[in-house]
Amino acid sequence: MTEINKYGLNFHHFGLAVAKPEKAILFLEDLNYNVGDSIYDNLQNVNLIMCNHENMPSVELIYPANKPGPLDIWLKENSEIIYHLCYSCTDVELTLKQLRLNHRVIIISAPKPAILFSGKQVSFYKVQGFGIIEILENGS
């Protein structure tokens, strides 16, 4: 993808938080998504399934683990919700510096390796007036 914005961010996927993944998987399969295997991310305490499509945006299904975790508050009133948008970049520090020139950005989770993305660093931020974004460093 070509970087087309001043922040050096490229859209990567959207994260869909679901209480249970079965219906979301069925829907995505009906749309001809390639649904990956479920994996448990112990650093984030969630289960994840990456779903890719040749012509549509990628979807990361995120659903609770067996113990309390970060999705509990979001799924308390909704059984499914678009939880975050993920963007990739090559330099998180520079990207955040540029973002903070025009936006209030609050860190939710510092960079840590993501099992779903082969150990690449991911971090989460609240952009005031927009919502939660995930930044995947050196993502593709």
Side-chain angles (χ1 to χ4, degrees), residues 92 107 109-113 121-125 137:
V92 173
I107 188 167
S109 175
K112 58 184 147 191
Q121 297 290 306
V122 295
S123 48
F124 289 85
Y125 305 89
E137 190 164 23

Side-chain angles (χ1 to χ4, degrees), residues 24 42-44 54 60 69 71 74 106 125:
N42 65 331
L43 292 178
Q44 298 185 61
E54 188 175 312
E60 177 186 26
L71 297 179
W74 298 100
I106 301 166
Y125 305 89

Side-chain angles (χ1 to χ4, degrees), residues 6-9 87-101 105 107 109-111 121-123 125 133 135-138:
K6 62 184 173 183
Y7 305 121
L9 292 171
Y87 298 92
S88 64
C89 73
T90 56
D91 187 334
V92 173
E93 287 184 34
L94 179 61
T95 294
L96 288 173
K97 181 179 177 182
Q98 292 296 318
L99 276 170
R100 286 184 170 129
L101 292 175
V105 179
I107 188 167
S109 175
Q121 297 290 306
V122 295
S123 48
Y125 305 89
I133 65 170
I135 296 180
L136 173 61
E137 190 164 23
N138 295 320

Side-chain angles (χ1 to χ4, degrees), residues 7-25:
Y7 305 121
L9 292 171
N10 290 306
F11 182 79
H12 192 270
H13 69 267
F14 68 88
L16 178 65
V18 293
K20 296 180 181 178
E22 294 80 12
K23 289 183 181 180
I25 289 169

